[in-house]
C-alpha cells in the first residue's frame, strides 16, 4: 500500500498498475475508484476486483482511503 499526506494526515492509497512493456515508464491512463458514504469497508472487495480488471486492461487504478482524512472509515 502506498500513501500520501493531506491536511497533515497520512492517507492510504491502493495502487493497481498494469504489467507489460510500459510498466517501467508508468505511462498509463488512470482512474480513481472512490467509495461512497458507507466508507471503504462497504464493498471494498468489489472495488479491488474492478481495479484488478482495469489494470489487466492497461489502466492504472487507485483506491484512496480518503475517509482517513477525517478519522472515519
Amino acid at each position: 500500500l502506498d500513501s500520501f499526506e493531506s491536511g497533515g494526515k497520512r492517507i492510504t492509497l491502493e495502487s493497481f498498475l498494469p504489467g507489460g512493456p510500459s510498466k517501467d515508464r508508468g505511462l498509463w491512463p488512470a482512474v480513481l475508484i472512490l467509495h461512497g458514504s458507507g466508507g471503504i469497508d462497504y464493498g471494498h472487495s468489489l472495488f479491488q476486483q474492478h481495479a484488478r480488471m482495469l489494470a489487466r486492461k492497461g489502466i492504472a487504478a487507485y483506491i484512496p482511503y480518503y475517509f482517513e482524512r477525517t478519522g472515519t472509515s
Side-chain angles (χ1 to χ4, degrees), residues 12 16 29 31 47 50 62 72:
T12 304
F16 297 83
V31 297
F47 301 147
H50 287 288
Y62 300 92
T72 57

Side-chain angles (χ1 to χ4, degrees), residues 15-34:
S15 302
F16 297 83
L17 305 176
S22 66
K23 183 175 183 180
D24 293 336
R25 295 180 307 181
L27 301 176
W28 312 287
V31 297
L32 289 175
I33 299 176
L34 303 175

